[in-house]
Amino acid sequence: MQLVIVESPAKAKTIEKYLGKDFKVLASYGHVRDLPAKDGSVDPEADFAMEWELYRDKQSRFKEIADAAKGASRLVLATDPDREGEAISWHVQELLAKRKALPKQVDRVTFNAITKTAVTEAMAKPRELDKPLIDAYLARRALDYLFGFTLSPVLWRKLPGAKSAGRVQSVALRLIVEREREIEAFRAEEYWSVLAKMQHDGTDFDARLVKFKGVKLEKLSLGEQGIAMEAKAAVGAGRFTVEGVETKPVKRNPAPPFTTSTLQQEAARKLGFSAQHTMRLAQSLYEAGAITYMRTDGVQMDPGAIMALRDAIKARYDAAYLPEKPRFYSTKAKNAQEAHEAIRPTDFSRERAGTGDEGKLYDLIFKRAMASQMANAQLERTTVTLRDATGQHELRATGQVVKFPGFLAVYQEGFDDSEDEDGGLLPAMKAGDTPAKRSVEATQHFTQPPPRFSEASLVKRLEELGIGRPSTYASTIQTLRDRAYVRMEKNRFFAEESGRLLTAFLERFFPTYVAYDFTAGMEDELDVVSDGREEYKALLARFWKDFKPKADEVMEKMPSEVTEALDEYLADFLFPPKEDGSDPRACPLCAAEGRANGRLSLRGGRFGAFVACANYPECKYTRRFAQPGGEGEGGAEDGILGQHPETGQNILRKTGRFGPYVEMGEGKEAKRASIPKDLDDFGLDWAVKLLDLPRIIGAHPDTGLEIEANIGRYGPYLRHDGKYGKLTNTREVFEVGMNRAVAILAEAANRGGPGAARVKAEPIATLGEHPTSGGEIKVMPGRYGPYVTDGTTNATIPRDVKPEDVTLAAAIELIDARAAKAPPAKKGKKKAAPKKAAAKKAPAKKKAPAKKAAAVAK
């Protein structure tokens, strides 16, 4: 018997079917061991010796592998064809050797697709484990461990509120924070454009003013309304004649087939998928044999696949859509490595695979691969220049026509934050024509700050800089979100306070290790190791020689020293110059109450950094870290806003540790309300409204009970009869009427919203039918962790397995294993015997305390 080890049970089942009875195929379920999360797992003093630990929930699974290996004549390590796959094979071999269960013959095979041809060909061409690739894995794992386990204790002691830092994630976070700084530093500039609405031969078109008073206009040339109105008047008064028509043919080439990075980017743009969700779906399609391996930097395709694709194009389209010669692509990404084939369908006659999101992703992969071997798109770009009689003013109209769609008939690549400046069709015009001018518009614009990163643009930027590996981007981005260093709003990354502070700390005390060139350079060095040109421990020694003394130096600093250094480093952000020239560090509360020397500075507290006054405890003024220059979300400084129109009491605006709020009254009787972030025109009127909450809308037409609008911990809401409905923004609390309120509450009740009897948990995934019980298998979120269920048996998902990665085969195995361990079902209860007539009572005896019924394991 020959034992084959793969990573996933779905893959194991398929491959065993391909190989036949002589082979037994078992799954490792991913990595089987890792460095324990404790000090000393990597020991620099012992030549970087690593201590590995078998995952606790993999003990029984690996015992099955070891038992099978003892009776095997050959071990075939067939894990994924990348660095991680090579590492898993190495771990399995090392563990089997320690248990003296390693067969005499050990081979490593890799295949780029799970098809019978690919698997059988790979089995016929075995090789040994790739030691340089394993060394590169060991170096990367040790680097990440040393970075995290050396730096994290420094953060815990010196930077309150920080959770941890990672070698690649810290640099990704810095990109997001730097973009936030660029946006904050941006100052919008006003500019105007003048557009003439024209018509020729019954066709409307737009012409833009490009020359005014003989001067070519740049973007900001018309910088204020006066000059814009003058230009508008000149265009309105002029008679414009076509000076020239330039028609230029344009060719567009198709994009290459997908790599890991470009798949994540396009799935984010076109389908709205996160990088992590995209990789889960791609993994499932790969294991089903629908696509080639999804972790790759390569854009090339197998020659046989190219010929099959050309045949598919020929069968579907005219001959003009197929170029004379095949297209061959080469990788341009920095640090491209592990260059397997691009991601493509394994069978080009198969237009569909999977259902739901899987089907959508397959469709994207199929169309991108097909388009990559199709003919160029032929376009015609037309530019029409119009001048007035003076020759001083010039208009320009542009249009684009697709003469032959080529690959565009199948697929068009998406772009981030781009605008199409070319219009559509233009009427046929020639020199001397005088189109009719219907109207002239002058439009005000303001320059826009650089856009915040989306997942697609962040992945693209990381790849451009050569930071990390595309296969790790999904987990890196998820880690930033899990640790609340960033948040997502409308598919864009926003830096949280903790993320900004951590980045500032690393830039101030560890600038080398968050530098883009250093992190990219480290990837270059890891490539050198994977090529076998350097011993990995030499790389670790160089890193540790500089990093450890720096970490020790910072650890020796007092927390107050760290805070003082950050106060100076962040001075421009925390205390920017004021327009009136006053001291930006002056405490507004001390100034209002007549205290002298009230100076603001950065402080560290149990829950993170904040700004406070030097006169503490006499002055209790505080400000959140992320409120530069004392501007809170309400956009005003602390002080008296005015008097309540009914009570006459002063209403004060204050800033606390958790943001700005308003207060009326004193002591225990004081009323307070937080100032919502979505009120950009906050003043006394809004303060009165907030302090008067809740607002009673009226009696519900069905129940007669009051409907109340209010703002709670999780935002604005409606409440009626113990049930709740969510409102979209603060203004709606004060504007929503009875009809709308009744509709919102009804929708919430239908969804099982807050306050409904109990919300039924939505499944994370629905996998299919259990072969024995017939129940539908679902992956569910649970109070004590995610689990799989067929409606009868619930089985906990192992901690090292992400619930989204669980396959149908794995779920069946987990459910069956749990069912086998369950106690036998109890027989039906016997019918209670009729009570006998009460006998004469015996003398009372002292009763023994009743034993508590043992809990039955579920």
Side-chain angles (χ1 to χ4, degrees), residues 10 70 97 144 274 280 314 401 415 441 572 579 593 763 809 849:
K70 288 175 183 176
D144 290 340
S274 69
R280 284 196 298 268
K314 194 184 301 181
V401 179
F415 298 94
E441 298 174 356
D572 290 342
E579 290 183 7
E593 297 180 1

Side-chain angles (χ1 to χ4, degrees), residues 770 772-778 787-795 815 818-819 822 858:
H770 191 285
T772 307
S773 71
E776 189 175 44
I777 296 179
K778 297 178 180 179
Y787 63 95
V788 290
T789 181
D790 63 347
T792 304
T793 303
N794 298 346
I815 289 168
R818 184 68 190 90
K858 291 184 180 178

